[in-house]
Amino acid sequence: MNIDGKAVAQELRQSLAIEVKQLQDDRGITPGLTVILVGEDPASQVYVRNKVRQTKEVGMISNEIRMPADTSQQALLEELTKLNNDPAVHGILVQLPLPKHIDEALVIESILPEKDVDGFHPMNSGRLANGDAAALVPCTPQGCVILAKKHLGDNLSGKHAVIVGRSNIVGKPVALLLLQENCTVTIAHSRTENLTDLCASADILVAAVGRPEMIKGDWIKPGATVIDVGINRIATEDGKGRLVGDVDYAEAEPVAGAITPVPGGVGPMTIACLLKNTVEAARRFG
Ligand code: GUN
């Protein structure tokens, strides 16, 4: 059975559109999201275009700042200072990756934590680790939990969640979120021994490794909920290529209780959760 991320993301955007309207009516606030894109990376341009379009669709103010690839770090930091001080900007997102001459960590730390709608600032990751509700939580991990709950219901208590991948953007924060949900959490990674058996003990399996179709059908406990965060383009005979996840979908689908497809699973949830964070930032700090 599929978990339809596209449909869940659409539902979330619809409810956000209502919240945006309420914020406008009750407090005269229109949530505003500014996205900064440095350089011309084609994939980043597509992401940014989608973010801008969806931000407008829910009735929020979208602002896009494009800077050339040779922009100095100083110029980018100055732009962030302006946005930090602009009361009409509730959310700031600097599209990653940045050109090599710019220090990504420094840039992230220069965003006001209250406007850090990516949830990447150490203040927000620290708050998440502490279980502090004031954290702005990274978008893809939020999407993973929403999709798991879509299938399992709101109570994930006692479930064994295995997360394959330990990145700061997905693996670690999704582990912390599932821990908050009272799951028993195991984080696995490239050095984990007996990975197959470990995965086969998961009630909830989150795959976030970036290796095409690495997780096979016999790694999955029958009836498990499988959340596939991978987006990998693989070569095909016709030369067009095809998007696949970190899970071998054809093998896993008959075994799993439910699985997120790629594309159309976790992917669409990321931007929807970015909009959710921006509405949240506007409500709290607007
Ligand atoms: N590049 C790819 N995904 C993301 C994301 O979620 N946030 C930012 N800022 N850049 C990205």
Side-chain angles (χ1 to χ4, degrees):
M1 181 192 161
N2 263 344
I3 305 175
D4 185 349
K6 218 171 144 184
V8 178
Q10 195 184 346
E11 275 170 34
L12 179 53
R13 288 197 302 273
Q14 280 165 354
S15 74
L16 288 171
I18 295 167
E19 280 188 60
V20 168
K21 180 85 177 38
Q22 272 169 354
L23 268 174
Q24 287 168 329
D25 292 349
D26 299 349
R27 294 170 54 193
I29 296 171
T30 302
L33 172 64
T34 296
V35 178
I36 301 181
L37 175 59
V38 184
E40 274 102 43
D41 178 64
S44 291
Q45 290 188 14
V46 174
Y47 286 136
V48 168
R49 202 181 314 136
N50 286 332
K51 284 169 187 166
V52 167
R53 178 174 50 78
Q54 295 188 28
T55 304
K56 290 179 182 161
E57 275 172 11
V58 299
M60 308 199 309
I61 295 169
S62 169
N63 187 13
E64 184 185 344
I65 298 175
R66 288 188 176 236
M67 304 177 90
D70 62 358
T71 297
S72 70
Q73 178 169 290
Q74 188 55 31
L76 177 56
L77 295 181
E78 281 166 17
E79 195 61 53
L80 287 174
T81 303
K82 274 193 241 161
L83 297 170
N84 283 341
N85 292 323
D86 183 343
V89 175
H90 302 97
I92 302 168
L93 181 146
V94 179
Q95 185 67 30
L96 304 177
L98 286 167
K100 298 242 175 321
H101 65 280
I102 298 180
D103 178 349
E104 246 172 45
L106 177 66
V107 168
I108 289 168
E109 288 176 32
S110 302
I111 299 170
L112 205 62
E114 290 77 13
K115 299 192 179 192
D116 166 41
V117 285
D118 258 332
F120 293 166
H121 191 291
M123 181 71 83
N124 283 316
S125 30
R127 282 177 172 154
L128 174 62
N130 289 349
D132 180 344
L136 284 169
V137 177
C139 305
T140 303
Q142 277 194 65
C144 291
V145 175
I146 294 171
L147 292 181
K149 286 186 170 180
K150 193 73 193 169
H151 178 63
L152 292 168
D154 281 342
N155 183 7
L156 306 180
S157 185
K159 304 247 179 261
H160 185 205
V162 173
I163 293 116
V164 189
R166 54 174 156 180
S167 70
N168 289 336
I169 293 184
V170 183
K172 284 182 206 166
V174 84
L176 290 166
L177 285 177
L178 289 167
L179 189 59
Q180 261 174 34
E181 298 291 337
N182 299 314
C183 289
T184 303
V185 176
T186 307
I187 305 177
H189 47 78
S190 54
R191 308 286 171 88
T192 297
E193 293 177 3
N194 302 322
L195 182 60
T196 313
D197 291 342
L198 185 66
C199 288
S201 73
D203 302 307
I204 300 170
L205 182 63
V206 180
V209 267
R211 284 167 167 256
E213 299 181 320
M214 181 182 101
I215 293 173
K216 301 296 176 189
D218 59 0
W219 297 33
I220 291 164
K221 179 170 162 175
T225 303
V226 179
I227 308 294
D228 189 352
V229 184
I231 301 179
N232 312 289
R233 186 167 289 280
I234 56 168
T236 52
E237 279 175 13
D238 64 9
K240 287 184 185 158
R242 186 165 66 90
L243 282 186
V244 299
D246 292 346
V247 179
D248 186 325
Y249 180 88
E251 284 190 18
E253 196 275 336
V255 187
I259 180 168
T260 60
V262 176
V266 175
M269 292 300 291
T270 298
I271 298 182
C273 290
L274 172 69
L275 306 180
K276 179 167 175 282
N277 276 352
T278 307
V279 172
E280 193 62 39
R283 197 208 325 275
R284 289 191 207 161
F285 311 110

